[in-house]
Structures are given as C-alpha cells and as structure tokens.
Amino acid sequence: MGETHATGSSIRTIAMLGNHLPRQCGIATFTTDLSDAIAREVPDVECIVVAMNDVGAEHAYPPRVRFEVPEGVVEAYRRAADFLNVNAVDVVSVQHEYGIFGGRAGAHVLELLRNLHMPIVTTLHTILAMPDPVQRAVMDGLISVSSRLVVMSSDGAALLRDVHGVDPASVDVIPHGIPVAPDRSSKDKLGVEGRSVILTFGLLAPDKGVEHVIDAMPAILAKHPNTVYIVLGATHPHVKQRHGESYRLMLQSRAERLGVAANVIFHNRFVSHEELVEFLGAADIYVTPYLKEEQSTSGTLAYAVGCGKAVISTPYRYARELLADGRGVLVPWRDAGAIGREVIGLLDDPARRVALQQRAAAFGRSMAWPVVARRYVESFEQARVTHEQRRRTGAASRLPSKRRPELPEIDLAHVRLMTDDTGMLQHATYDIPRYSDGYCIDDNARALLLMTHIEEAGTEAREVVRALATRYLAFVNHGFDETTGRFQNFLTYARSWHEGPGSDDSHGRALWSVGAVVGRSADPGRRGVAARLFHGALPATKTLTSPRAWAYSLLGIDEYLRAFEGDSNVEAVRAELAAELMECFRRSASAAWPWFEDRLTYCNARIPQALLVSAARMGDAEMAEVAERSLAWLVNEHVAADGTFAPVGSNGFYVRGEARASFDQQPVEACAMVSACLDAHRVTGRAEWLEHARRAFQWFLGQNAQQAQVYDARTGGCRDGVHADRMNENQGAESTLSFLIALAEMRAADRLIARLVPDAPAVKPRVLGAVAALQPDAEGSAAT
C-alpha cells in the first residue's frame, strides 16, 4: 500500500473533486476549507483539486487547482479521469451536490468516477428523502462507485439506509467543519455597537425565507427598537443569472413597506472568512428561516452553532438534528409571528440566550476544522484499505468502464448562422443562408425541439439556449391562427405569410414542439406560452388525415403528459389518434409487409415510435406489439448489404411490390430512426434497439453509401443528403437540425446508460429496478 509517513498516514496525494474558491458557492467554500485543514493537519499529504466550472465561467484559481472541468462537457470528465489516473492520486474525495455537475441531476460525474483506478470517498451534501427516478439513479450510481460515503448528520445516514439500502458500516458521519470562533464582540468594528444584532448569512435565494424575518421586524422593534437585522451575502450566481436581483429587491421593498428599512442591513457581497468571523462575533441571534424541509446540511447553520450563537431556525432536516438537546430554537415554516416571539424572548432573557450559546459552543468543539480534517483522513485511510483488499482478492474490483464510441460535441454555430431576429431560415447554398426561401414553421418547430433538449441536458450556456429557444417559440406563436386553430407554415423573408393553414404535418410538428416545451423546459415563461399554444392547437388534430401528422401529434401529447399526466382531455385525444394509426395498420399490414400504408415515404420511423410511446403510457399490449413489430421490420428494410444504415430514397420512395428507390437519402430519415430506436430501447430495455440507433446515427458520420461525412464538423452544419454519385453540399435547416436532434438524443441516452448500468458496487446500494429506467420521463427519452 505504500510507505507510512510520520503522521501515521499512508496517503501521499488526495484529489478533491468539487467547486473551489474563488467560485462563489457553499461547496467551493467547503472544498477550500477542507483542503486547507488537511494541509495543516497532515502536512506530508498533498491536496490537489479538480474544480467544476459553470458553462463559460473562468476563475483565477490557486495552484492547488490542477484541472478544470466545464460542467456540461462530457469529454472533459473523461479527461479528468485520465489526469487523476496518471498522477498517482491515492484517493479521490468527491464533494457531491446535484447542481454542480452537468447533465440531469448531475449525471455527468459518473462518467469520470467510473473510469478511476483509485478508491473514492463521496461526501453527500444533499440526500433526498423522495428522489425522482433520475436523482435516484444518479445517487445509486455514486453509491456503487464509492468505497466510503460521508454524511454530515445521523439523519443523512438514516436516509441512505432507508432510501438507498446502504450498509451503515460503509458510512462515516463527519460534521460540517467550522472556523475558529471569535473570542470577542466585533460590533464596534461593524458600526453596530450598543445594538442587538440578528444575523442571516449565505448566498441569497428565494428558498432562504428571509422575508419572514423581515415580516417579524415590526413586532421585534416595538419591544426592542435598537435591533438590527443583517442579511449578509451575495445573491446566488445561478439565481442572479436567471432572475437578476429580483429577490433582493423584493426584500428591500418589503422592508420599506413595513417601515423597518433603517433596521434591515443588506451586505450584497461574498464575504471572506475573516469578515464572516467578524459578523458572527457581532451577532446576538442567528436565524436560518429556510423553506426546504429536505435540506440535509447547512454550512451557515454549522458555523453559527460552532461559534456558540443563539440560533432560531425552521425545522429542516439538518436543523432538527443540530439544534436538538437545547442547542437552538425551532419555529414553524413561514411563521413570522413565531420568529418574532422567539427573538423577543431571547432578547428579553439574556440568561436563556447565554445557556443556548454555551450548549451550542460545547457541541461545536467537535466541529472544528482540525478535528474534521483528521476524521476525513481516517475515512480516506479506511477506503484505501478496503479498496486494496478487494483488489488483492479480485472481489468485484472496479475497473474503468468500457467507453462507448465517442460522439461529437454539440456545435450550434450553423444553427446560429441560419437564425436571424425572426427565426430559422429554411435553406442554404452550401453553408450560406438563402434569404429568398424565407422561413417555415416546420424548421422553427424542429429548432425549438432541439433547444428544449439542450436546455434539459444543461450542456450549453443558459443565455444562448434562452435566446434561441425564445426566438423559435416566438415564431411558432406568430404562426398560430387563433381563428382556425391551425398553424401557418411558410413566411417570406419580407415577413408575410403566403398561404393559408399549413399542411397537416406542419401542424403536428408544431404541436409536438410546444408539447416538448411544456414537458421539459424549466422556464416558466416559455412553458406558459407553449401550454396555451398546445391547448389551442390540440382540437385541430381531430381533423388531420395524415398518419405522420397523427404521429407527430402523439409525440407532442406524450411530451405534454410528462408534466401533466392525468389530463383527461389530452389523454382522450391521444386515444383517438392512436386508434387511427392502429386502424391504418389493420387495413394495410400483411405478414410480409407489417406497415401502416402501402408505401414507405418520409420520416417513416416516427409512426411506430409514436405508437410505442403511447402504448407505454396507456398500458396497451396490443398497440405495443404492433409498434415494435413494425419498427423491427422497418429497421431491417433500412440496412444495406454492407450492414450500414440505408434509408429509403426520396426519389420515388418504396411502394409495395415495386422497386425501391435507393437515393436521395435524407438526414431526416436517420434522425427519425435514431429517435424511434432509442425510445424502443427505453420502453423495452432490449439492447439491440440501442445498436440499431447507433447504426443509424453513424450514417451521419460516414457509414453510408458514399462513405462520406454528412455532418460537417467545420461548420457545425449537416449536408442535405446522400446522392448516388455525390453528397448534397447544401446545409439547410432541416438537415442540420435532424443531425443535432439525433446527436442530443444519443448523448442523453449514453448518459442514462452510464448511470443505470453501474460497475460492481463497492458500497452496497439497493438494486435499482428496471421500471425506473423505463419511465417515459427518464432522461434519454428519445421522442424528438
């Protein structure tokens, strides 16, 4: 295992994976403090850091940070694993919070951890009592790769046991570390000498509940007029990015309206340790009025208790445990009256306040960073021993996972080039947009669908996704005619519609796109507009006559029902449209031709895909059988003699009993096949569907009749098709969007598979049933 140092540790290098100062967040502060404490307590051990970065963010890190990972770039996680493996790291300490890693519920981190050779100790900063299927899958994946787990409370350990079936012997309960408490009051230094000080500190966000303390201030000031409430901390960067300073401005306005603005002091900055200690020294009462019951740790509360403050808190999980046995006071949720009464009671009774402070300070001695650092090193040592024993015995040793063929990164350069302030243009000559052809709702609906999937994956800068998604939704909204309940399709470059209602297919595709926004987007504005459009356009689906329009509509309904399953009106329309497709199949199908029409034309795979996802939600076994049988037949019809994907050509298509057209092959066909096969894999769990999807996707990357790239990595666009003798070098909207949608779905499927097919577990988790993986709302649902 290597030499033992004078300190008693056999570890030479520890790698921390998490955020690090100067990034502004609680995890960054914790990682920095823990690394500093270990360096002080075990000076022979080197601590290095792999730091997570927000999309597009750059920080002036100290030399300890040796590697940076942009949170949304999957390949960067793989490179980080390679870096750790070649740098003789003895143990990796993961500081886990769902929101700091890329992918849904932070799933990208598993791509890194599953490729490491050394033991992993994971500190869980959030443990959910009721995780959704994706959160549960990610947590179970973390558990499976970790040699030991660290939680900060006994309640957290109990949740791991009860929710995830973790063996308690694999869990270390180590408290949140705290700084050295101030030995004197610093009120004079802060300009509040002679005043009673209430303090709340930490990054400001709406779930902090600060407004309820402000609401209590009139009653407090009526009894103790010389009291001030200090709200210390910058607005959380993610909140500021999405909502600006609206929460802080609301709080300030509330204080003005209540007449307490002179007694409520906002310090809008991220404070240093030294400043924080000064503010804690000045505080008489510390309040955490947080609103999330499931919060399983709080660094700010730990600091306050450890520094011997009299604490009032709402009863979230961590507070209930930390403030037990008379170490603090709990008040009901959102109860300004209760906060006011308890503050007044403590200010009225100094002896009671001192007793709280003494009990908190006594408990806090076990939370000092030197003590915590030594506990972590002990956990790392135990993890290393366990890992070595397992390696020697060969029992379920964790080897790097087999890497799947790498996929290109999503590049929106050509999408942005094809988009102006109105929407996405239809066509291009080579990669130059062709203004003369204007716009269509088909392509803007496809673009909206793409942006919704990218938003959900969290792989691109939020401002870019927001700008593009909003523009495409605005176009779709502009194209909806409320008098007819139908979407118009073609808009000239002069911004005039030059036809009446669009085709059935364009209506179905537009409905699909807004359904996806309702089902997947986290933006309330876009979801609201999309929901209105969805319900406005839904009745017209009963007048559609095209099987593909029915299929697109069913895919949109399936997306909508991700958010609002149980909407009986929408479910009734789904049943009608699915029945129409089933009737088409009964009329047309034979043993040799199990298909819905007497010909294969365009976007063929969307029909069985729509039927399959509908059957999965409806629990209709016959419908599922028809969908899978027809899709399996279609897959076989799209395989060339050399085993590559070969869609039906658009120059004549394929009529039953006649010769099949081999060219021109269109990107939209490969996209449809990728999507349908991924959904078939999700619904059935059978691996062959995933292989069919990969074969269809490889058509874009050169596995086609011309053995040439259809995707153009130089521009980020996609060529318009494969001809018998050449490639179509134009890069229009439909082709580019077809490639990018297929790519987004393949990347989502790879992330889902990575976390649902874990390596042999080092810590025993509860087995994750296949049902969660097959739920229609799991990531990787390929209905795009």
Side-chain angles (χ1 to χ4, degrees), residues 368-384:
W369 271 119
V371 178
V372 169
R374 289 192 292 271
R375 294 280 307 279
Y376 266 93
V377 173
E378 291 170 3
S379 181
F380 298 157
E381 291 281 7
Q382 181 59 50
R384 198 156 182 246

Side-chain angles (χ1 to χ4, degrees), residues 432-570:
I432 307 301
R434 208 156 65 217
Y435 293 161
S436 59
D437 293 325
Y439 320 81
C440 69
I441 209 155
D442 281 312
D443 290 333
N444 280 271
R446 289 187 181 99
L448 178 58
L449 202 57
L450 172 65
M451 289 303 115
T452 303
H453 280 272
I454 292 176
E455 176 193 3
E456 185 179 49
T459 55
E460 299 293 325
R462 293 185 183 93
E463 61 271 17
V464 172
V465 174
R466 178 179 181 273
L468 292 174
T470 300
R471 190 159 303 167
Y472 303 139
L473 179 58
F475 188 98
V476 174
N477 184 50
H478 181 55
F480 184 64
D481 184 344
E482 294 187 1
T483 61
T484 64
R486 293 288 297 262
F487 291 96
Q488 300 172 91
N489 195 5
F490 295 106
L491 184 74
T492 68
Y493 191 66
R495 307 332 191 246
S496 64
W497 299 103
H498 65 74
E499 66 169 23
S503 66
D504 283 7
D505 286 4
S506 67
H507 186 88
R509 192 172 283 113
L511 185 78
W512 180 8
S513 71
V514 295
V517 174
V518 174
R520 295 177 185 263
S521 177
D523 185 275
R526 289 200 296 277
R527 288 189 79 198
V529 171
R532 179 181 59 80
L533 287 171
F534 182 87
H535 288 292
L538 188 65
T541 59
K542 298 180 180 181
T543 69
L544 305 179
T545 59
S546 160
R548 282 159 190 76
W550 296 335
Y552 301 148
S553 299
L554 283 169
L555 291 169
I557 287 170
D558 188 71
E559 294 283 354
Y560 172 89
L561 291 173
R562 288 165 58 99
F564 296 112
E565 189 159 13
D567 187 324
S568 57
N569 179 52
V570 175

Side-chain angles (χ1 to χ4, degrees), residues 126-399:
T126 294
I127 308 164
L128 300 174
M130 298 180 66
D132 65 31
V134 178
Q135 291 165 337
R136 177 184 288 278
V138 171
M139 182 59 70
D140 285 345
L142 281 167
I143 292 166
S144 76
V145 298
S146 299
S147 296
R148 296 196 70 75
L149 300 167
V150 176
V151 297
M152 299 183 192
S153 66
S154 298
D155 182 79
L159 282 175
L160 284 179
R161 180 195 65 218
D162 297 341
V163 178
H164 297 277
V166 173
D167 182 355
S170 302
V171 181
D172 295 312
V173 180
I174 304 177
H176 194 296
I178 59 168
V180 176
D183 57 4
R184 63 178 179 81
S185 171
S186 52
K187 288 186 178 183
D188 55 341
K189 189 172 181 178
L190 297 177
V192 291
E193 188 174 9
R195 309 186 77 175
S196 299
V197 176
I198 307 167
L199 174 67
T200 295
F201 79 87
L203 293 173
L204 198 60
D207 60 3
K208 300 298 185 183
V210 171
E211 61 269 27
H212 301 294
V213 185
I214 293 175
D215 289 348
M217 286 301 292
I220 295 169
L221 293 173
K223 190 74 183 292
H224 295 275
N226 210 22
T227 301
V228 293
Y229 176 37
I230 297 177
V231 181
L232 175 64
T235 299
H236 195 291
H238 289 174
V239 173
K240 189 172 182 178
Q241 185 180 48
R242 296 175 184 174
H243 306 291
E245 292 286 3
S246 58
Y247 181 61
R248 184 183 300 274
L249 293 173
M250 181 277 288
L251 295 175
Q252 293 172 340
S253 175
R254 200 180 194 107
E256 290 279 357
R257 178 172 54 82
L258 293 173
V260 298
N263 298 79
V264 179
I265 303 171
F266 291 90
H267 288 278
N268 184 8
R269 66 182 189 277
F270 191 80
V271 296
S272 67
H273 265 165
E274 293 73 19
E275 287 180 291
L276 179 54
V277 167
E278 295 288 350
F279 278 98
L280 282 169
D284 297 291
I285 297 172
Y286 184 77
V287 183
T288 58
Y290 300 165
L291 304 180
K292 289 186 175 180
E293 183 175 8
E294 66 270 20
Q295 185 162 340
S296 55
T297 188
S298 167
T300 64
L301 181 61
Y303 279 25
V305 170
C307 291
K309 297 290 106 178
V311 177
I312 298 170
S313 178
T314 47
Y316 52 94
R317 285 183 173 275
Y318 188 61
R320 291 201 301 266
E321 181 168 333
L322 200 60
L323 301 182
D325 302 323
R327 292 188 291 270
V329 178
L330 297 178
V331 295
W333 306 103
R334 298 177 173 84
D335 193 334
I339 293 172
R341 286 191 298 273
E342 293 297 343
V343 169
I344 292 168
L346 289 176
L347 293 178
D348 283 344
D349 190 348
R352 179 182 171 222
R353 189 168 75 247
V354 169
L356 281 177
Q357 293 169 342
Q358 290 174 342
R359 286 191 288 270
F363 187 80
R365 283 192 282 273
S366 66
M367 302 167 65
W369 271 119
V371 178
V372 169
R374 289 192 292 271
R375 294 280 307 279
Y376 266 93
V377 173
E378 291 170 3
S379 181
F380 298 157
E381 291 281 7
Q382 181 59 50
R384 198 156 182 246
V385 169
T386 301
H387 185 80
E388 181 67 12
Q389 289 172 343
R390 296 174 66 85
R391 187 190 67 79
R392 286 178 175 174
T393 61
S397 61
R398 173 169 42 80
L399 298 174

Side-chain angles (χ1 to χ4, degrees), residues 15-18 92-97 101 109 113 116 120-125 142 146 380:
M16 299 280 175
L17 172 63
V92 170
S93 173
V94 180
Q95 302 306 317
H96 179 263
E97 179 67 70
F101 302 106
V109 71
L113 300 181
L116 294 179
I120 298 166
V121 177
T122 300
T123 301
L124 300 171
H125 291 259
L142 281 167
S146 299
F380 298 157

Side-chain angles (χ1 to χ4, degrees), residues 706-726:
Q706 289 295 340
Q707 292 295 295
Q709 290 261 349
V710 188
Y711 166 57
D712 186 348
R714 177 184 63 86
T715 66
C718 181
R719 296 174 176 89
D720 278 354
V722 177
H723 298 320
D725 57 345
R726 60 185 173 82

